Amino acid sequence: MENYRINVNYAKALFLLATDQGEVDRTCEDMKFVHRVCDENHVLNVIYSNPVIKEAKKLAITRELFESSVSKLTMAFLNFIVRKHRAVSLRGISGAYIDLYRKTNGIVKAELRTAVDVDSDAKATMEKIIGDYTGKKVEMDTVTDNTMLGGFRVTFDNTMYDARIRTQIAKLLKEFSKNTYEKSI
C-alpha cells in the first residue's frame, strides 16, 4: 500500500544524503532506473509486498536487479529500504525523489501527445514555448496516440493545452447548436 508521507520522507532523506556526498544527479538517474524497473515489473512488486518472503531473499533479489546498474550510495539506500520493510514503497519513493530533484533544479515535466510521430524540431519548439511560459527547464515526453484524429495535446504543471481536431469539432458543434441567428417569437 502506497503512503505519500513515507515516500516523500524517504526521498528527502536520500536527497539530503546525496547532496552531502555530491551525487544528486547520479542518484536521480539511479532512481529513474529503479522507478522504471518497479513500474514495468509486476512480479517484483508482488514479491516486495509479500510478508511470507524472507528479508534475505528480498535483499538478494534487490542486489541481483540493481547492484550492477546503480551507485554504491543508491544500493546502500535500497538495502536499507528492504531491511526497514519498505520495499513495497520503492516505486513511490523513487518517484518522490525524481519529483524533488525536478523541483529543486527548476525542471518541469511535460507530455506532448500527437496523432503522428513528432520530429526533433517540433519537439524543441514546444519545449522552448513551455520553457518560456514556465521559466523552467523542460523535460518532454512524446506520445503517439493513434486514436487522435489530428492536432496535439500538451500537459505540464497541472496545465493542459488541447489543440486536438476532436476538441475543435466539439467546440464548433456546440457553437452551431446555439443558432444565434434564429429569431425567437
Side-chain angles (χ1 to χ4, degrees):
M1 183 167 139
E2 289 288 323
N3 187 329
Y4 178 76
R5 185 178 295 159
I6 290 171
N7 296 344
V8 170
N9 287 340
Y10 277 100
K12 283 180 182 178
L14 177 60
F15 192 82
L16 290 173
L17 187 62
T19 302
D20 287 346
Q21 295 190 8
E23 293 188 22
V24 176
D25 296 330
R26 168 72 176 151
T27 305
C28 184
E29 292 304 314
D30 292 346
M31 287 292 111
K32 286 179 181 178
F33 175 69
V34 170
H35 189 76
R36 190 171 46 251
V37 169
C38 291
D39 200 32
E40 294 172 356
N41 196 338
H42 176 70
V43 174
L44 180 64
N45 296 321
V46 170
I47 290 170
Y48 281 155
S49 64
N50 190 337
V52 175
I53 298 175
K54 301 286 184 205
E55 178 184 312
K57 185 67 173 173
K58 290 178 185 180
L59 282 169
I61 290 169
T62 304
R63 281 191 200 102
E64 184 68 30
L65 283 174
F66 299 114
E67 196 164 38
S68 64
S69 303
V70 298
S71 67
K72 290 183 180 189
L73 172 68
T74 304
M75 195 63 223
F77 179 76
L78 294 176
N79 288 334
F80 174 76
I81 292 295
V82 173
R83 277 187 263 118
K84 290 294 182 182
H85 307 289
R86 298 289 187 200
V88 69
S89 299
L90 196 53
R91 181 178 173 271
I93 292 168
S94 60
Y97 183 91
I98 295 165
D99 291 343
L100 183 61
Y101 177 84
R102 286 184 185 132
K103 184 178 178 183
T104 303
N105 290 312
I107 300 171
V108 64
K109 177 79 169 160
E111 179 185 86
L112 175 62
R113 186 174 293 268
T114 59
V116 295
D117 291 334
V118 178
D119 63 348
S120 59
D121 293 337
K123 182 179 176 184
T125 302
M126 190 60 69
E127 286 176 347
K128 183 177 178 348
I129 290 169
I130 294 170
D132 291 345
Y133 180 77
T134 60
K136 298 178 180 179
K137 292 180 267 181
V138 179
E139 193 175 285
M140 174 92 66
D141 287 338
T142 57
V143 178
T144 303
D145 186 355
N146 296 331
T147 63
M148 290 175 65
L149 297 175
F152 65 93
R153 183 175 68 200
V154 177
T155 54
F156 61 93
D157 268 354
N158 296 325
T159 304
M160 180 176 73
Y161 180 74
D162 193 351
R164 297 177 297 166
I165 299 292
R166 180 171 294 167
T167 305
Q168 302 302 321
I169 291 171
K171 285 180 184 177
L172 283 173
L173 285 173
K174 186 175 181 181
E175 191 64 33
F176 284 137
S177 68
K178 289 180 185 177
N179 198 357
T180 57
Y181 299 107
E182 187 177 302
K183 263 188 152 184
S184 6
I185 297 179

